[in-house]
Amino acid sequence: MSQKRRLTAVDILLLLGAILPIVAIIVLQILTKPASEGISLSGAYIYFTVDMPLQPLYITEAQINSWAVIITVTCLCLFLTRGMKVDKPSARQHLAEWIVEKTEGLVKDNMDPFFSNYGPFICAILGLSAFSSLLSLFGLFPPTSDLNVVGGWAVLVFILITYYKFKCGPWGYAKSFAQPVALLTPINIISEVATPISMAFRHYGNVLSGTVISVLVASGLGGLSAIVLGWLPGVLGDIPFLRIGIPAILSIYFDVFSGCLQAFIFAMLTMMYVSGAFPAEDYAARRAKIEAKKQNKLGGN
């Protein structure tokens, strides 16, 4: 049985910590971003630049919004996991346990047992990606529609892929490019480089295309409303009646469903690529040889 608990001062602070970053970037956008007329499709707005030795460092709304999402997700995690008990768990503890169980189930079903501790990493990818895409519901720039952001995530995954391929040593890593036959080595090399590129462009392209389609449809309906209903007297002729409802329905798909779906796909690709890169059998055989050598040395002494 779950137990209802009153919110303490710390709980309220954590909830404020989850809400205030989103409010802050909304206010920041209102105060700094210039208003646009008609259709406006552009990249992340540049707030300011920092002079660096090689090139200027641009601080954009993609970076600021990403940090806001990180703070929000962190505070939500602390709120859900605070005050956990073995007996009479609260409703938020049930929610936290459900998230953990589902994430660990994904890892168990899609990765080698060697990666049984990868649940927190995959959960972080899901939460960061989904919450970043959902920022568009507040009229904010979603960091997932910036190629630099998702490109950084893809590079991180690529580093993990390379790290686990090196588990059997440099020679084992080099031999992996000649599998299943040496004739495919050039293709395998291209495939290796294409992995982070395809992951980044898939995520970025799907989120950005949804935003573009939503803006175009909303603008088109506004123009159509002016043509069809512009004859109405007074202020009624200026109200874009045809924009009421339809863009909201599209937003449910492009902003909510598609954003969460792309987060799930990115997490699934991460699990598939990282687990697939790990030569489990070769690694086990290599570890067995190392242990056998150690035992022989101990026996000789």
Side-chain angles (χ1 to χ4, degrees), residues 21 76 84 103 116 122 147 165 240 242 246 248 253 256 269 297:
L76 284 177
M84 300 185 77
T103 307
S116 58
I122 299 302
L147 184 58
K165 281 191 173 183
L242 296 182
I246 296 178
Y253 174 77
V256 180
L269 290 174
K297 288 183 179 180

Side-chain angles (χ1 to χ4, degrees), residues 59-244:
I59 306 300
T60 69
E61 58 182 333
Q63 295 167 308
I64 301 297
N65 293 359
S66 292
W67 276 106
V69 170
I70 292 172
I71 296 172
T72 295
V73 172
T74 302
C75 289
L76 284 177
C77 291
L78 293 175
F79 173 76
L80 291 176
T81 56
R82 186 173 180 276
M84 300 185 77
K85 296 182 178 180
V86 177
D87 58 326
K88 296 182 180 180
S90 62
R92 56 176 160 171
Q93 181 173 338
H94 280 302
L95 177 59
E97 291 176 351
W98 178 82
I99 293 172
V100 171
E101 289 175 1
K102 292 300 180 181
T103 307
E104 289 185 346
L106 277 176
V107 172
K108 182 179 179 180
D109 294 338
N110 296 280
M111 301 187 79
D112 188 89
F114 182 82
F115 299 95
S116 58
N117 60 344
Y118 250 61
F121 179 71
I122 299 302
C123 190
I125 291 177
L126 287 168
L128 183 59
S129 177
F131 276 82
S132 296
S133 298
L134 292 176
L135 284 185
S136 57
L137 292 174
F138 302 96
L140 298 169
F141 182 86
T144 44
S145 63
D146 190 325
L147 184 58
N148 297 299
V149 174
V150 292
W153 300 352
V155 169
L156 174 61
V157 174
F158 180 71
I159 292 173
L160 289 174
I161 292 172
T162 306
Y163 169 76
Y164 284 107
K165 281 191 173 183
F166 265 97
K167 279 290 186 178
C168 286
W171 177 240
Y173 175 73
K175 286 196 303 181
S176 66
F177 290 104
Q179 300 295 330
V181 292
L183 187 64
L184 297 178
T185 299
I187 297 177
N188 289 334
I189 295 174
I190 295 174
S191 176
E192 187 82 357
V193 177
T195 296
I197 297 175
S198 64
M199 289 185 69
F201 274 94
R202 180 185 288 108
H203 199 341
Y204 154 78
N206 280 284
V207 175
L208 180 63
S209 62
T211 303
V212 171
I213 292 173
S214 297
V215 172
L216 291 176
V217 170
S219 178
L221 289 173
L224 182 62
S225 179
I227 295 173
V228 177
L229 302 175
W231 56 269
L232 293 175
V235 182
L236 293 176
D238 298 329
I239 299 176
F241 288 101
L242 296 182
R243 288 179 62 175
I244 300 175

Side-chain angles (χ1 to χ4, degrees), residues 282-300:
D282 294 341
Y283 179 74
R286 189 167 183 260
R287 294 300 301 175
K289 289 181 180 179
I290 294 174
E291 290 297 328
K293 289 182 180 180
K294 288 183 179 179
Q295 295 296 330
N296 290 334
K297 288 183 179 180
L298 291 175

